[in-house]
Amino acid sequence: MEKPKKVKKPRGKASLIPNKCISCGARCQSACPAEAIEMTEKGEPVIDQAKCIGCQKCIKICPAEALEMFFTPEELEILKQLAAEKGAAGAEEEEEDSEEAKLKKFLAQYKGVWVFVEQTDCTPAKVSWELLGVGAQLASALNVELCAVVLGHNVEKLCQEAFSYGASKAYLIDDPLLHHYRTATYLEGFCSLVEKYKPEVVLMGATGLGRDLAGAVATRLGTGLTADCTGLGIDEKRQLLQTRPAFGGNIMATIFCEQRRPQMASVRPHVMPMPARNENATGVIIREAINMKEEDVLTKVLEVIDDAGHLDSVDIGGAEFIVSGGRGMMAKENFKILQELADELGGVVACSRSAVDAGWLPVERQVGQTGKTVRPKIYIACGISGAIQHLVGMQDSDLIIAINRDKEAPIFEVATFGVVGDLFQIVPAITEHIRQVKATRGTPKVC
Ligand code: FAD
């Protein structure tokens, strides 16, 4: 008797659903192993049906669910027959083995939002608490715990600090080996915790130390890291949406890590607001040991040299009042009028990159994408046009006053108050007014 011919399961062809593509940057094209996708000028895919092998990779990677599989009526009929033959049990088995199911299982092992508590000699970096603030929002969206990770020597009190800023659990490795920061020891400590407890999200401050550790941890764990995020959120697939400036700051890109865990992001100091502090908050401390000995560490710390006073000692990042000048200041000596205003306000002088490039102020005073991020109570921008690279560094200030003689300057789009006019008249007039108010009513308070 002739053996019945096995019917081949049709694979279908990918096709675009009209009006759903968000022009994400040709992810479908890069995912296609058959080079079946070309992009239009608008950034939408055109699928060559003759080349498409029905692997569905483009469909899986599309963040907008704008692609679907197309089957001819004959193919649909075959699929129906095959499904009926196989029965429900068989279908389930197939589902279990599919790549998608494996990925789902892998992702489901990871739970919790972790914030690395950076410290030097048990003095915490404020950015850690800022990250606990945004971490709490992420944890609530994911319905998971917010945890702090404290590494160091004699640093247990930082766990309590972390509880007061919103963490409900702290993973602590307290060991003399971790007294001074060294990449190897912190990397070993941090990764051992991640491998054991499997967090879904890890946040670190984009400080010198944080940048070093985050990159090393992400590399060791083989996961993604988005540096210098300016916004963090969670989507409906539990993915961390990591927003940061891209292409020289001309666009804001939202990046996500679909297939690896944990999802790692770093955020610069002052980008996120400080959360409220609750002295009475409590939490659980999980103590772990580091699996390393001093002999295993190649780097030895011989001496720690404090750089305070060596560089520009003004911390514009922590200032509450900032008077900032740009190319409109015209010359270095003109910054004197900004210093006078800053002195009256008890603030500091900062600047745009143009002012640094012109040699008027040192780079430590630069605000923006390649400078510092600031979040003062008042930011007064004088002769600054408001390029996106500058705005990303100051747009979260509580109150922004812009002084510019060009009424079309983009700085006015983020300003709370805008003054169109010549800064050389306006700035001294404001300074004089404050002096008069102080003389008659005493020092005004800004809350
Ligand atoms: P301009 O854009 O030249 O603006 C000067 C303004 O002064 C004008 O709006 C003018 O109307 C006004 N003005 C002139 N005279 C007067 C007056 N008498 N009274 C009132 N107003 C007056 N920039 C940053 O600031 N920080 C960064 O970190 C940064 N990083 C960058 C990173 C990259 C990769 C790139 C490509 C650029 C970066 N830039 C950065 C540069 C940025 O694109 C702008 O060139 C810069 O911010 C412009 O500085 P500005 O506003 O001082 O100068």
Side-chain angles (χ1 to χ4, degrees), residues 248 325-328 330 351-355 366-371 383-387 389-390 403-406 409 421-424:
R327 206 194 306 266
M330 308 304 283
C351 64
S352 71
R353 179 153 135 183
S354 300
Q366 182 186 317
V367 172
Q369 188 189 326
T370 43
I384 293 176
S385 60
Q389 295 89 353
H390 188 80
I403 304 166
N404 198 302
R405 64 181 176 194
D406 173 9
D422 184 357
L423 73 90
F424 294 105

Side-chain angles (χ1 to χ4, degrees), residues 295-427:
E295 307 86 84
D296 304 331
V297 192
L298 294 178
T299 325
K300 310 289 171 205
V301 179
L302 302 179
E303 191 187 355
V304 178
I305 301 164
D306 193 350
D307 69 1
H310 289 258
L311 291 171
D312 180 346
S313 55
V314 171
D315 173 22
I316 62 164
E320 294 201 329
F321 304 101
I322 295 179
V323 185
S324 196
R327 206 194 306 266
M329 294 307 298
M330 308 304 283
K332 186 175 181 171
E333 49 280 13
N334 292 337
F335 275 82
K336 197 170 143 255
I337 62 168
L338 301 192
Q339 189 61 58
E340 285 173 9
L341 176 54
D343 289 346
E344 291 305 323
L345 291 169
V348 300
V349 172
C351 64
S352 71
R353 179 153 135 183
S354 300
V356 173
D357 290 346
W360 299 337
L361 283 185
V363 71
E364 290 76 24
R365 303 275 185 137
Q366 182 186 317
V367 172
Q369 188 189 326
T370 43
K372 288 191 177 153
T373 303
V374 296
R375 194 185 254 275
K377 286 185 175 160
I378 300 181
Y379 187 87
I380 307 179
C382 309
I384 293 176
S385 60
I388 181 74
Q389 295 89 353
H390 188 80
L391 299 187
V392 292
M394 47 62 77
Q395 63 194 357
D396 289 323
S397 306
D398 291 350
L399 189 140
I400 297 169
I401 301 170
I403 304 166
N404 198 302
R405 64 181 176 194
D406 173 9
K407 69 176 178 13
E408 306 291 339
I411 190 79
F412 289 127
E413 285 167 28
V414 298
T416 325
F417 299 109
V419 187
V420 179
D422 184 357
L423 73 90
F424 294 105
Q425 291 176 2
I426 296 159
V427 173

Side-chain angles (χ1 to χ4, degrees), residues 3-61:
K3 214 174 151 193
K5 216 170 157 193
K6 203 175 170 207
V7 183
K8 210 171 156 201
K9 189 178 171 188
R11 299 190 77 172
K13 305 279 180 190
S15 81
L16 180 67
I17 307 171
N19 305 324
K20 282 195 89 175
C21 174
I22 55 167
S23 304
C24 68
R27 287 189 202 196
C28 49
Q29 188 183 36
S30 16
C32 177
E35 295 184 1
I37 302 181
E38 291 298 327
M39 305 308 292
T40 64
E41 267 180 22
K42 272 168 69 189
E44 292 185 356
V46 178
I47 300 161
D48 184 340
Q49 300 283 309
K51 285 188 181 172
C52 176
I53 53 169
C55 67
Q56 302 198 16
K57 288 202 169 147
C58 56
I59 293 182
K60 284 175 195 159
I61 206 158

Side-chain angles (χ1 to χ4, degrees), residues 2 52 61 64-65 72 147 153 160 173 180 183 199 209 257 268 273 278 285 317 330 359 373 420 434 441:
E2 202 180 320
C52 176
I61 206 158
E65 295 178 0
T72 62
C147 309
H153 186 221
Q160 182 50 48
I173 306 185
H180 291 299
T183 313
L209 188 159
C257 176
R268 288 202 217 173
N278 175 7
I285 300 178
M330 308 304 283
T373 303
V420 179
I434 294 173
R441 292 191 230 155

Side-chain angles (χ1 to χ4, degrees), residues 59-76:
I59 293 182
K60 284 175 195 159
I61 206 158
C62 176
E65 295 178 0
L67 294 164
E68 62 182 356
M69 289 312 286
F70 173 78
F71 296 93
T72 62
E74 296 77 39
E75 287 173 332
L76 283 173

